[in-house]
Amino acid sequence: MNRAAKVGIAGTCTALLVLGGYGAYNIVHGLTSESTGDVQTKAAHSFDPATVSTSPPSDAKAVKLTRAFLDSWSQQRLDAASSDTDAPSTAAPALHGYTDGLHLTKLTFGQVVSAGPSTVTSGATKVTFDVTAEVAGGTWTYSSAVAVLQSANGQTAVHWNNSVLYPGLGDDQSLTAGKLPAGASTAEVVASDGTTDLSTFPSLRDIAATIRQNTKPGGGSTGTGVAVVDSGGAGVKTLKVFSKGKAPKIKTTIDAHLQAVAESAVKDSPLQGKPAGTVALDWRTGHILAVAHTGADGDIAVNGIKSPGSTMKIITSAALFDKAGLTPSSPAPCTDSITANSQTFHNDPGVTANPASTIAQAFTVSCNTSFIKDGFHYLVNNGDASALHDEAVGVFGMGSWSIGGGVATTDPSIPADIQDGDQAAQFIGQGRVTATPLFMASVAATVRNVGFEQPIILPGQHQDSAPQQISSRTAGYLQSMMRSVATSGTAAPRLGGLVGVGAKTGTAEEADHTNGWLTAYNSRIAVAALVEGGSSGVNSAGYVVRHLLTEN
């Protein structure tokens, strides 16, 4: 790190119309030491900052003083230069720091002209000038200005502020030249291809910024130039680049092509502008391949915590298979309504009652009453009211995930102590049961992978494991039933005809509207989507999911 020029009192000067009448003034001197005679001459200067006149000095007087100040500065007679200011004790270390921080070898000034009364410093005349500095790495040119005051006795002085060194420098900021400091360049957060910048995707800008802030980048090389640094030496702003460095990169698991598809999918015209969120995973690894969302409530793809509706029947079915020993052909009568703990539940419109229904048939048409009846009969009434919670945690890895890079996600919830009507509602993803598209994509991934892989967005990020592996028996049952949903069940209008697809739709009631859900997988990805205000899962989230399944 180059030693930086320490800057004193803050201040800026606003450029005014440059007045004519003064010839160009250019100082070209070698850097020399200050003589004793110069110090004595400057010591005799009698500007009194306590008696500053309200009348600005004349243009000629202001330019004369500025030329003397710049002459001393260019020759490195810095104590003499500082004595031409109204704050010598502040100006002297700042001028010395400028020289040291920039590794200055030559300093010239040109176009020293009056700009008239200052609009920033009351009672001052503004004088502008151009600076050419030979610094570590190259030549740096810029424009600056000073405000010249006069005291009651007619003596003049440069009013010291940061813009004398460089316009706009703040308190505790300084200048450095040579190797650009850390922070003067920004690391790129990129997709898995190593090149696509995630900040180019609207849905990932906040995520990319969070990852950049919390993750150490790899590779890259530092360029050279001039930069503003803070009091700790961290780069604030690059002012001049002499040689370009290569920005370090942070590679993520995002698939650039699939992300582009997802960005478009959540804006599909059938959604009519409703808030939507989607997540796609590589079901083999848990790598997050795409995250996209719309709406004003933030990222509903990973933080949209809502009742997941009938997509929860995947976990309900798994609990019935694992804990009650049922199979897809076990009875699950589908009635028009059912009352549980004094609360009556109905099916969605279009579901036909079938007293002889099996679990597989009820799953395909998404019959609510079938799963409430079996859930109560085989689980709650047998003293296993927390079966759905235990299945979600034990087999599907529900918990507090860290996907990497400090990116916040909202945890799903299936309380273990559900009581009263919520004991029935949990089996159809209502009541106190909540989830996110991220979690529901992981549920589908667990089924397809025959095992839980915790979602992550950074390769190599630690992945929590589920307490137990989903059995191949249960996974096989669920794959068969989810395939039926896609080919001939509630998801068929959107996903029918797609090869190797398994799915589950969901429609959840919330206040005065419904939310549409759909989670699915194919031979490569698992995906889930949520559309707030969607009339049904298939007719809202179904459009989003289809885009992703057919474009990878």
Side-chain angles (χ1 to χ4, degrees):
M1 182 71 62
N2 294 326
R3 182 181 170 197
K6 297 301 178 184
V7 179
I9 302 172
T12 58
C13 292
T14 305
L16 300 176
L17 179 64
V18 176
L19 301 179
Y22 296 96
Y25 178 69
N26 188 39
I27 304 168
V28 184
H29 289 288
L31 301 184
T32 63
S33 300
E34 187 166 18
S35 69
T36 303
D38 292 327
V39 176
Q40 291 174 342
T41 299
K42 296 302 180 181
H45 190 69
S46 57
F47 176 83
D48 184 2
T51 62
V52 175
S53 173
T54 57
S55 299
S58 68
D59 293 336
K61 200 171 185 180
V63 168
K64 181 179 179 180
L65 185 278
T66 302
R67 285 175 172 174
F69 167 72
L70 296 177
D71 191 13
S72 296
W73 186 6
S74 71
Q75 297 177 54
Q76 291 296 283
R77 294 183 290 112
L78 302 181
D79 289 340
S82 64
S83 68
D84 275 327
T85 74
D86 60 353
S89 62
T90 301
L95 290 167
H96 280 283
Y98 178 95
T99 297
D100 294 341
L102 295 175
H103 298 283
L104 187 68
T105 57
K106 186 176 182 181
L107 185 64
T108 62
F109 298 94
Q111 300 298 315
V112 184
V113 294
S114 172
S118 172
T119 59
V120 176
T121 305
S122 179
T125 297
K126 181 178 180 180
V127 179
T128 62
F129 52 89
D130 295 334
V131 183
T132 300
E134 299 293 336
V135 302
T139 301
W140 180 39
T141 61
Y142 63 96
S143 297
S144 192
V146 294
V148 180
L149 299 167
Q150 66 179 352
S151 57
N153 63 4
Q155 294 295 330
T156 54
V158 170
H159 175 56
W160 184 260
N161 55 59
N162 290 356
S163 63
V164 175
L165 298 177
Y166 181 80
L169 281 176
D171 290 338
D172 298 323
Q173 290 180 341
S174 51
L175 299 169
T176 185
K179 185 177 179 181
L180 290 173
S185 298
T186 303
E188 291 183 2
V189 182
V190 297
S192 58
D193 59 13
T195 58
T196 306
D197 189 340
L198 292 198
S199 62
T200 61
F201 298 110
S203 298
L204 295 179
R205 285 172 188 158
D206 289 345
I207 288 176
T210 299
I211 292 173
R212 183 182 300 112
Q213 182 178 359
N214 293 284
T215 308
K216 183 178 180 180
S221 60
T222 303
T224 62
V226 180
V228 177
V229 295
D230 62 20
S231 59
V236 175
K237 183 179 181 181
T238 298
L239 303 177
K240 175 71 176 180
V241 175
F242 297 134
S243 64
K244 290 184 177 180
K246 184 178 180 182
K249 295 183 178 182
I250 303 169
K251 185 182 288 189
T252 69
T253 61
I254 294 295
D255 181 298
H257 171 69
L258 200 60
Q259 179 65 34
V261 173
E263 295 279 359
S264 176
V266 293
K267 298 175 184 177
D268 199 4
S269 57
L271 306 186
Q272 299 178 329
K274 294 180 174 66
T278 188
V279 174
L281 306 174
D282 182 329
W283 50 258
R284 298 174 184 84
T285 63
H287 287 187
I288 297 173
L289 303 178
V291 176
H293 58 88
T294 61
D297 295 333
D299 186 355
I300 66 174
V302 298
N303 290 305
I305 192 72
K306 303 287 183 181
S307 295
S310 291
T311 58
M312 189 56 62
K313 290 172 185 172
I314 298 172
I315 299 178
T316 301
S317 297
L320 290 170
F321 298 151
D322 289 342
K323 298 181 180 300
L326 302 187
T327 70
S329 60
S330 296
C334 181
T335 57
D336 288 328
S337 64
I338 189 171
T339 300
N341 286 352
S342 301
Q343 184 174 351
T344 301
F345 295 87
H346 300 274
N347 294 313
D348 291 336
V351 177
T352 302
N354 179 8
S357 175
T358 63
I359 289 178
Q361 291 170 330
F363 190 91
T364 300
V365 301
S366 203
C367 179
N368 291 335
T369 58
S370 295
F371 286 91
I372 292 173
K373 182 177 179 61
D374 275 12
F376 254 83
H377 180 71
Y378 293 104
L379 301 173
V380 175
N381 291 340
N382 285 336
D384 200 358
S386 65
L388 197 59
H389 165 87
D390 296 341
E391 188 76 12
V393 172
V395 174
F396 291 92
M398 184 180 75
S400 298
W401 298 341
S402 173
I403 67 172
V407 178
T409 60
T410 302
D411 298 333
S413 177
I414 305 174
D417 59 348
I418 290 181
Q419 301 294 324
D420 303 322
D422 285 337
Q423 285 186 325
Q426 67 172 331
F427 295 115
I428 58 172
Q430 295 273 184
R432 294 170 60 194
V433 172
T434 57
T436 62
L438 173 63
F439 176 66
M440 294 315 303
S442 179
V443 168
T446 299
V447 172
R448 180 61 181 85
N449 186 52
V450 193
F452 169 73
E453 295 290 342
Q454 188 227 294
I456 54 173
I457 200 167
L458 293 179
Q461 168 76 16
H462 170 75
Q463 293 173 278
D464 292 333
S465 58
Q468 64 190 80
Q469 183 88 354
I470 188 172
S471 70
S472 57
R473 170 182 175 273
T474 295
Y477 288 163
L478 292 172
Q479 288 176 12
S480 174
M481 295 195 303
M482 291 177 71
R483 180 62 182 155
S484 294
V485 171
T487 57
S488 60
T490 54
R494 299 286 85 79
L495 307 183
L498 299 184
V499 177
V501 172
K504 186 67 192 79
T505 58
T507 305
E509 297 177 1
E510 182 181 79
D512 59 349
H513 66 272
T514 58
N515 295 324
W517 288 80
L518 199 149
T519 187
Y521 59 76
N522 63 9
S523 61
R524 180 191 170 209
I525 68 170
V527 59
L530 160 66
V531 177
E532 295 185 17
S535 59
S536 68
V538 68
N539 289 320
S540 56
Y543 289 99
V544 178
V545 171
R546 180 179 176 85
H547 277 295
L548 290 162
L549 293 178
T550 55
E551 293 289 340
N552 70 90

Coordinates of all heavy atoms in Angstrom, one line a residue, residues 223-301:
G223 N -4.4 -3.2 -11.0 CA -3.8 -2.2 -11.9 C -3.1 -1.1 -11.2 O -2.9 -1.1 -10.0
T224 N -2.6 -0.1 -12.0 CA -1.9 1.0 -11.4 C -2.7 2.3 -11.8 O -3.3 2.3 -12.8 CB -0.5 1.1 -11.9 OG1 -0.5 1.3 -13.3 CG2 0.3 -0.1 -11.5
G225 N -2.5 3.3 -11.0 CA -3.2 4.6 -11.2 C -3.2 5.4 -10.0 O -2.3 5.3 -9.1
V226 N -4.2 6.3 -9.9 CA -4.3 7.2 -8.8 C -5.7 7.0 -8.2 O -6.7 6.8 -8.9 CB -4.3 8.7 -9.3 CG1 -4.4 9.7 -8.1 CG2 -2.9 9.0 -10.0
A227 N -5.8 6.9 -6.9 CA -7.0 6.6 -6.2 C -7.2 7.4 -4.9 O -6.2 7.9 -4.3 CB -7.1 5.1 -5.9
V228 N -8.4 7.6 -4.5 CA -8.8 8.2 -3.2 C -8.9 7.0 -2.3 O -9.5 6.0 -2.6 CB -10.1 8.9 -3.3 CG1 -10.5 9.4 -1.9 CG2 -10.0 10.1 -4.2
V229 N -8.3 7.1 -1.1 CA -8.4 6.0 -0.1 C -8.9 6.6 1.2 O -8.8 7.8 1.4 CB -7.0 5.4 0.2 CG1 -6.5 4.6 -1.1 CG2 -6.0 6.4 0.6
D230 N -9.5 5.8 2.0 CA -10.0 6.3 3.3 C -8.9 6.2 4.4 O -7.7 5.9 4.1 CB -11.2 5.5 3.8 CG -10.9 4.0 4.0 OD1 -9.7 3.6 4.2 OD2 -11.9 3.2 4.0
S231 N -9.2 6.5 5.6 CA -8.2 6.6 6.7 C -7.5 5.2 6.9 O -6.4 5.2 7.5 CB -8.8 7.1 8.0 OG -9.9 6.3 8.4
G232 N -8.2 4.2 6.6 CA -7.6 2.8 6.8 C -6.9 2.3 5.6 O -6.4 1.2 5.6
G233 N -6.8 3.1 4.5 CA -6.1 2.7 3.3 C -6.9 2.0 2.3 O -6.4 1.5 1.2
A234 N -8.2 1.8 2.5 CA -9.1 1.1 1.6 C -9.5 2.0 0.5 O -9.7 3.2 0.7 CB -10.3 0.5 2.3
G235 N -9.5 1.5 -0.8 CA -9.9 2.3 -1.9 C -11.3 2.8 -1.8 O -12.2 2.1 -1.5
V236 N -11.5 4.1 -2.1 CA -12.8 4.7 -2.2 C -13.2 5.0 -3.6 O -14.3 4.7 -4.0 CB -12.8 6.1 -1.4 CG1 -14.1 6.8 -1.6 CG2 -12.5 5.8 0.1
K237 N -12.3 5.5 -4.4 CA -12.6 5.8 -5.8 C -11.3 5.8 -6.6 O -10.3 6.4 -6.2 CB -13.3 7.1 -5.9 CG -13.7 7.5 -7.3 CD -14.5 8.9 -7.3 CE -14.9 9.3 -8.7 NZ -15.6 10.6 -8.6
T238 N -11.3 5.3 -7.8 CA -10.2 5.3 -8.7 C -10.3 6.6 -9.6 O -11.4 6.8 -10.2 CB -10.2 4.1 -9.6 OG1 -10.0 2.9 -8.8 CG2 -9.0 4.2 -10.6
L239 N -9.3 7.5 -9.6 CA -9.3 8.7 -10.3 C -8.6 8.6 -11.7 O -9.0 9.3 -12.6 CB -8.7 9.8 -9.5 CG -9.3 10.0 -8.1 CD1 -8.4 11.1 -7.3 CD2 -10.7 10.4 -8.2
K240 N -7.6 7.8 -11.7 CA -6.9 7.7 -13.0 C -6.3 6.3 -13.1 O -5.8 5.7 -12.1 CB -5.7 8.7 -13.0 CG -4.8 8.6 -14.2 CD -5.4 9.0 -15.5 CE -4.4 9.0 -16.6 NZ -5.0 9.4 -17.9
V241 N -6.4 5.6 -14.2 CA -5.9 4.3 -14.4 C -4.7 4.4 -15.4 O -4.9 4.9 -16.6 CB -7.0 3.3 -15.0 CG1 -6.3 2.0 -15.3 CG2 -8.1 3.2 -14.0
F242 N -3.6 4.0 -15.0 CA -2.4 3.9 -15.9 C -2.3 2.6 -16.6 O -2.0 2.5 -17.8 CB -1.1 4.2 -15.1 CG -1.1 5.6 -14.5 CD1 -0.7 5.7 -13.2 CD2 -1.4 6.7 -15.2 CE1 -0.6 7.0 -12.6 CE2 -1.3 8.0 -14.7 CZ -0.9 8.1 -13.4
S243 N -2.6 1.5 -15.8 CA -2.6 0.2 -16.4 C -3.7 -0.6 -15.8 O -3.9 -0.6 -14.6 CB -1.3 -0.6 -16.2 OG -1.1 -0.8 -14.8
K244 N -4.5 -1.2 -16.6 CA -5.7 -1.9 -16.2 C -5.3 -3.2 -15.5 O -4.5 -4.0 -16.0 CB -6.7 -2.2 -17.3 CG -7.3 -0.9 -17.9 CD -8.4 -1.3 -18.9 CE -9.1 -0.1 -19.4 NZ -10.1 -0.4 -20.5
G245 N -6.0 -3.5 -14.4 CA -5.8 -4.8 -13.8 C -7.0 -5.7 -14.2 O -7.8 -5.3 -15.0
K246 N -7.0 -6.9 -13.7 CA -8.0 -7.8 -14.0 C -8.9 -8.0 -12.8 O -8.3 -8.4 -11.7 CB -7.5 -9.2 -14.5 CG -8.5 -10.2 -14.9 CD -7.8 -11.5 -15.4 CE -8.8 -12.5 -15.8 NZ -8.2 -13.8 -16.3
A247 N -10.1 -7.7 -12.8 CA -11.0 -7.8 -11.7 C -11.0 -9.2 -11.1 O -11.2 -10.1 -11.9 CB -12.4 -7.3 -12.0
P248 N -10.9 -9.4 -9.8 CA -11.1 -10.7 -9.3 C -12.5 -11.2 -9.4 O -13.4 -10.3 -9.5 CB -10.7 -10.5 -7.8 CG -10.9 -9.1 -7.5 CD -10.6 -8.4 -8.8
K249 N -12.7 -12.5 -9.4 CA -14.1 -13.0 -9.6 C -14.5 -13.9 -8.5 O -13.7 -14.6 -7.9 CB -14.1 -13.7 -11.0 CG -13.9 -12.8 -12.2 CD -14.0 -13.6 -13.5 CE -13.9 -12.6 -14.7 NZ -14.1 -13.3 -16.0
I250 N -15.8 -13.9 -8.3 CA -16.4 -14.9 -7.4 C -17.4 -15.7 -8.2 O -18.4 -15.2 -8.7 CB -17.2 -14.2 -6.2 CG1 -16.2 -13.2 -5.5 CG2 -17.8 -15.2 -5.3 CD1 -16.9 -12.3 -4.5
K251 N -17.1 -17.0 -8.4 CA -17.9 -17.8 -9.2 C -19.0 -18.4 -8.4 O -18.8 -18.9 -7.3 CB -17.1 -18.9 -9.9 CG -17.9 -19.8 -10.9 CD -17.0 -20.9 -11.4 CE -16.0 -20.4 -12.4 NZ -15.3 -21.5 -13.1
T252 N -20.2 -18.4 -9.0 CA -21.4 -19.0 -8.3 C -21.9 -20.2 -9.1 O -21.3 -20.6 -10.1 CB -22.6 -17.9 -8.3 OG1 -23.0 -17.7 -9.6 CG2 -22.1 -16.6 -7.6
T253 N -23.0 -20.8 -8.6 CA -23.5 -22.0 -9.3 C -24.6 -21.6 -10.4 O -25.1 -22.5 -11.1 CB -24.2 -22.9 -8.3 OG1 -25.3 -22.1 -7.6 CG2 -23.3 -23.3 -7.2
I254 N -24.9 -20.3 -10.5 CA -25.9 -19.9 -11.4 C -25.6 -20.2 -12.9 O -24.5 -20.0 -13.3 CB -26.1 -18.3 -11.3 CG1 -26.7 -18.0 -9.9 CG2 -27.1 -17.8 -12.4 CD1 -28.0 -18.5 -9.6
D255 N -26.6 -20.8 -13.5 CA -26.5 -21.1 -15.0 C -27.0 -19.9 -15.7 O -28.2 -19.5 -15.7 CB -27.3 -22.3 -15.3 CG -27.2 -22.7 -16.8 OD1 -27.6 -21.9 -17.6 OD2 -26.8 -23.8 -17.0
A256 N -26.1 -19.2 -16.5 CA -26.4 -17.9 -17.1 C -27.6 -18.1 -18.1 O -28.5 -17.2 -18.1 CB -25.2 -17.4 -17.8
H257 N -27.6 -19.1 -18.9 CA -28.7 -19.3 -19.8 C -30.0 -19.6 -19.1 O -31.1 -18.9 -19.4 CB -28.4 -20.5 -20.7 CG -29.6 -20.9 -21.6 ND1 -30.1 -20.1 -22.6 CD2 -30.4 -22.0 -21.5 CE1 -31.1 -20.7 -23.2 NE2 -31.4 -21.8 -22.6
L258 N -30.0 -20.4 -18.1 CA -31.3 -20.7 -17.4 C -31.7 -19.5 -16.6 O -33.0 -19.3 -16.5 CB -31.0 -21.9 -16.4 CG -32.3 -22.7 -16.0 CD1 -33.0 -23.2 -17.1 CD2 -31.9 -23.8 -15.0
Q259 N -30.8 -18.7 -16.1 CA -31.2 -17.5 -15.4 C -31.9 -16.5 -16.3 O -32.9 -15.9 -15.9 CB -30.0 -16.8 -14.8 CG -30.3 -15.5 -14.0 CD -31.1 -15.7 -12.8 OE1 -31.0 -16.7 -12.1 NE2 -32.0 -14.8 -12.5
A260 N -31.4 -16.4 -17.5 CA -32.1 -15.5 -18.5 C -33.5 -16.0 -18.8 O -34.4 -15.2 -18.9 CB -31.3 -15.5 -19.8
V261 N -33.7 -17.4 -18.9 CA -35.0 -17.9 -19.1 C -35.9 -17.6 -17.9 O -37.1 -17.3 -18.1 CB -34.9 -19.5 -19.3 CG1 -36.3 -20.1 -19.4 CG2 -34.1 -19.7 -20.6
A262 N -35.4 -17.8 -16.7 CA -36.2 -17.5 -15.5 C -36.6 -16.1 -15.4 O -37.8 -15.8 -15.0 CB -35.4 -17.9 -14.3
E263 N -35.7 -15.2 -15.8 CA -36.1 -13.7 -15.8 C -37.2 -13.5 -16.7 O -38.1 -12.7 -16.3 CB -34.9 -12.9 -16.2 CG -33.7 -13.0 -15.3 CD -33.8 -12.1 -14.0 OE1 -34.8 -11.3 -13.9 OE2 -32.9 -12.1 -13.2
S264 N -37.3 -14.1 -17.8 CA -38.4 -13.9 -18.8 C -39.6 -14.6 -18.3 O -40.7 -14.1 -18.4 CB -37.9 -14.4 -20.1 OG -39.0 -14.4 -21.1
A265 N -39.4 -15.8 -17.7 CA -40.6 -16.6 -17.3 C -41.5 -16.0 -16.3 O -42.7 -16.1 -16.3 CB -40.1 -18.0 -16.8
V266 N -40.9 -15.3 -15.3 CA -41.7 -14.7 -14.2 C -42.4 -13.5 -14.7 O -43.2 -12.9 -14.0 CB -40.8 -14.3 -13.0 CG1 -40.3 -15.6 -12.3 CG2 -39.7 -13.4 -13.4
K267 N -42.1 -13.1 -16.0 CA -42.9 -11.9 -16.6 C -43.8 -12.4 -17.7 O -44.3 -11.6 -18.5 CB -41.8 -10.9 -17.1 CG -41.0 -10.3 -16.0 CD -39.9 -9.4 -16.6 CE -39.0 -8.9 -15.6 NZ -37.9 -8.0 -16.2
D268 N -44.0 -13.7 -17.8 CA -44.8 -14.2 -18.9 C -46.2 -13.6 -18.9 O -46.8 -13.3 -17.8 CB -44.9 -15.8 -18.7 CG -45.4 -16.4 -20.0 OD1 -45.5 -15.8 -21.1 OD2 -45.6 -17.7 -20.0
S269 N -46.7 -13.3 -20.1 CA -48.0 -12.6 -20.2 C -49.2 -13.2 -19.5 O -50.0 -12.5 -19.0 CB -48.3 -12.3 -21.7 OG -48.4 -13.6 -22.4
P270 N -49.3 -14.6 -19.4 CA -50.5 -15.1 -18.7 C -50.5 -14.8 -17.2 O -51.5 -14.9 -16.6 CB -50.3 -16.7 -18.9 CG -49.5 -16.8 -20.2 CD -48.5 -15.6 -20.1
L271 N -49.4 -14.4 -16.7 CA -49.3 -14.0 -15.2 C -49.9 -12.6 -15.0 O -50.2 -12.3 -13.8 CB -47.9 -14.0 -14.7 CG -47.1 -15.3 -14.9 CD1 -45.7 -15.2 -14.2 CD2 -47.9 -16.5 -14.5
Q272 N -50.1 -11.9 -16.0 CA -50.8 -10.6 -15.9 C -50.1 -9.6 -14.9 O -50.8 -8.9 -14.2 CB -52.3 -10.7 -15.6 CG -53.0 -11.5 -16.7 CD -54.5 -11.7 -16.4 OE1 -54.9 -11.8 -15.2 NE2 -55.3 -11.8 -17.4
G273 N -48.8 -9.7 -14.8 CA -48.1 -8.8 -13.9 C -48.1 -9.2 -12.4 O -47.7 -8.4 -11.6
K274 N -48.7 -10.3 -12.1 CA -48.8 -10.7 -10.7 C -47.3 -11.0 -10.1 O -46.5 -11.5 -10.9 CB -49.6 -11.9 -10.5 CG -51.1 -11.7 -10.8 CD -51.9 -13.0 -10.7 CE -53.4 -12.7 -10.8 NZ -53.8 -12.3 -12.2
P275 N -47.1 -10.8 -8.9 CA -45.8 -11.1 -8.3 C -45.5 -12.6 -8.4 O -46.3 -13.4 -8.1 CB -45.9 -10.7 -6.8 CG -47.0 -9.6 -6.8 CD -48.0 -10.1 -7.9
A276 N -44.3 -12.9 -8.9 CA -43.9 -14.3 -9.1 C -42.5 -14.5 -8.7 O -41.7 -13.6 -8.8 CB -44.1 -14.7 -10.6
G277 N -42.2 -15.7 -8.3 CA -40.8 -16.1 -8.0 C -40.6 -17.5 -8.3 O -41.5 -18.4 -8.2
T278 N -39.3 -17.8 -8.7 CA -39.0 -19.2 -9.1 C -37.6 -19.5 -8.8 O -36.7 -18.6 -8.8 CB -39.2 -19.4 -10.6 OG1 -39.1 -20.8 -10.9 CG2 -38.3 -18.6 -11.5
V279 N -37.3 -20.8 -8.5 CA -35.9 -21.2 -8.2 C -35.7 -22.6 -9.0 O -36.6 -23.4 -9.0 CB -35.7 -21.5 -6.7 CG1 -34.3 -22.1 -6.5 CG2 -35.8 -20.2 -5.9
A280 N -34.6 -22.7 -9.6 CA -34.2 -24.0 -10.3 C -33.0 -24.5 -9.7 O -32.0 -23.7 -9.4 CB -34.0 -23.7 -11.8
L281 N -32.9 -25.8 -9.4 CA -31.8 -26.5 -8.8 C -31.3 -27.6 -9.7 O -32.1 -28.2 -10.5 CB -32.2 -27.1 -7.5 CG -32.8 -26.2 -6.4 CD1 -33.3 -27.1 -5.2 CD2 -31.8 -25.2 -5.9
D282 N -30.0 -27.9 -9.6 CA -29.5 -29.1 -10.1 C -29.8 -30.2 -9.1 O -29.2 -30.1 -8.0 CB -28.0 -29.0 -10.4 CG -27.3 -30.2 -11.0 OD1 -27.8 -31.4 -10.7 OD2 -26.3 -30.1 -11.7
W283 N -30.7 -31.1 -9.3 CA -31.1 -32.0 -8.3 C -30.1 -33.0 -7.9 O -30.2 -33.6 -6.8 CB -32.4 -32.7 -8.7 CG -32.5 -33.4 -10.0 CD1 -33.0 -33.0 -11.2 CD2 -31.9 -34.7 -10.4 NE1 -32.9 -33.9 -12.2 CE2 -32.2 -35.0 -11.7 CE3 -31.2 -35.7 -9.6 CZ2 -31.8 -36.2 -12.4 CZ3 -30.8 -36.9 -10.3 CH2 -31.1 -37.1 -11.6
R284 N -29.0 -33.1 -8.7 CA -27.9 -34.1 -8.3 C -27.0 -33.5 -7.2 O -26.5 -34.2 -6.4 CB -27.1 -34.4 -9.5 CG -27.8 -35.1 -10.6 CD -26.9 -35.3 -11.8 NE -27.6 -35.9 -12.9 CZ -28.3 -35.2 -13.8 NH1 -28.5 -33.9 -13.7 NH2 -28.9 -35.8 -14.8
T285 N -26.8 -32.1 -7.3 CA -25.9 -31.5 -6.4 C -26.4 -30.5 -5.4 O -25.8 -30.1 -4.5 CB -24.8 -30.7 -7.3 OG1 -25.5 -29.7 -8.0 CG2 -24.1 -31.7 -8.2
G286 N -27.6 -30.0 -5.7 CA -28.2 -28.9 -4.9 C -27.8 -27.6 -5.3 O -28.2 -26.5 -4.7
H287 N -27.0 -27.5 -6.4 CA -26.6 -26.2 -6.9 C -27.8 -25.4 -7.4 O -28.6 -25.9 -8.2 CB -25.6 -26.4 -8.0 CG -24.2 -26.8 -7.6 ND1 -23.1 -26.9 -8.4 CD2 -23.8 -27.2 -6.3 CE1 -22.1 -27.3 -7.7 NE2 -22.4 -27.5 -6.4
I288 N -27.8 -24.1 -7.0 CA -28.9 -23.2 -7.4 C -28.5 -22.7 -8.8 O -27.5 -22.1 -9.0 CB -29.1 -22.1 -6.4 CG1 -29.5 -22.6 -5.0 CG2 -30.1 -21.1 -6.9 CD1 -29.5 -21.5 -3.9
L289 N -29.4 -23.0 -9.8 CA -29.1 -22.6 -11.2 C -29.7 -21.3 -11.6 O -29.3 -20.7 -12.5 CB -29.5 -23.8 -12.1 CG -28.9 -25.1 -11.8 CD1 -29.5 -26.2 -12.7 CD2 -27.4 -25.1 -11.9
A290 N -30.9 -21.0 -11.0 CA -31.6 -19.8 -11.3 C -32.5 -19.3 -10.2 O -33.0 -20.2 -9.5 CB -32.4 -20.0 -12.6
V291 N -32.5 -18.0 -10.0 CA -33.4 -17.4 -9.0 C -34.0 -16.1 -9.7 O -33.2 -15.2 -10.1 CB -32.7 -17.0 -7.8 CG1 -33.6 -16.2 -6.8 CG2 -32.0 -18.1 -7.1
A292 N -35.3 -16.1 -9.9 CA -35.9 -14.9 -10.5 C -37.2 -14.6 -9.8 O -37.9 -15.4 -9.3 CB -36.2 -15.2 -12.0
H293 N -37.5 -13.3 -9.9 CA -38.7 -12.8 -9.2 C -39.2 -11.5 -9.7 O -38.4 -10.8 -10.4 CB -38.5 -12.7 -7.7 CG -37.4 -11.7 -7.3 ND1 -37.6 -10.4 -7.2 CD2 -36.0 -11.9 -7.2 CE1 -36.4 -9.8 -6.9 NE2 -35.5 -10.7 -6.9
T294 N -40.4 -11.2 -9.5 CA -41.0 -9.9 -9.8 C -41.7 -9.4 -8.5 O -41.8 -10.1 -7.5 CB -42.0 -9.9 -10.9 OG1 -43.1 -10.8 -10.6 CG2 -41.3 -10.4 -12.2
G295 N -42.4 -8.2 -8.6 CA -43.2 -7.8 -7.5 C -42.4 -6.8 -6.6 O -41.2 -6.7 -6.6
A296 N -43.1 -6.1 -5.7 CA -42.5 -5.0 -4.9 C -42.2 -5.5 -3.5 O -41.6 -4.7 -2.7 CB -43.5 -3.8 -4.8
D297 N -42.4 -6.7 -3.2 CA -42.2 -7.2 -1.8 C -40.8 -7.9 -1.7 O -40.6 -8.6 -0.7 CB -43.3 -8.2 -1.4 CG -44.7 -7.5 -1.3 OD1 -44.7 -6.3 -1.1 OD2 -45.7 -8.2 -1.5
G298 N -39.9 -7.7 -2.6 CA -38.6 -8.3 -2.5 C -38.5 -9.6 -3.2 O -39.3 -10.0 -4.0
D299 N -37.5 -10.4 -2.8 CA -37.2 -11.7 -3.5 C -38.1 -12.8 -3.0 O -37.8 -13.4 -2.0 CB -35.8 -12.0 -3.3 CG -35.4 -13.2 -4.1 OD1 -36.3 -13.9 -4.7 OD2 -34.2 -13.6 -4.1
I300 N -39.3 -13.0 -3.6 CA -40.2 -14.0 -3.1 C -39.7 -15.4 -3.5 O -40.3 -16.4 -3.1 CB -41.7 -13.8 -3.6 CG1 -41.8 -13.9 -5.1 CG2 -42.1 -12.4 -3.2 CD1 -43.2 -13.8 -5.6
A301 N -38.7 -15.5 -4.4 CA -38.2 -16.8 -4.8 C -37.5 -17.5 -3.6 O -37.7 -18.7 -3.4 CB -37.2 -16.7 -5.9

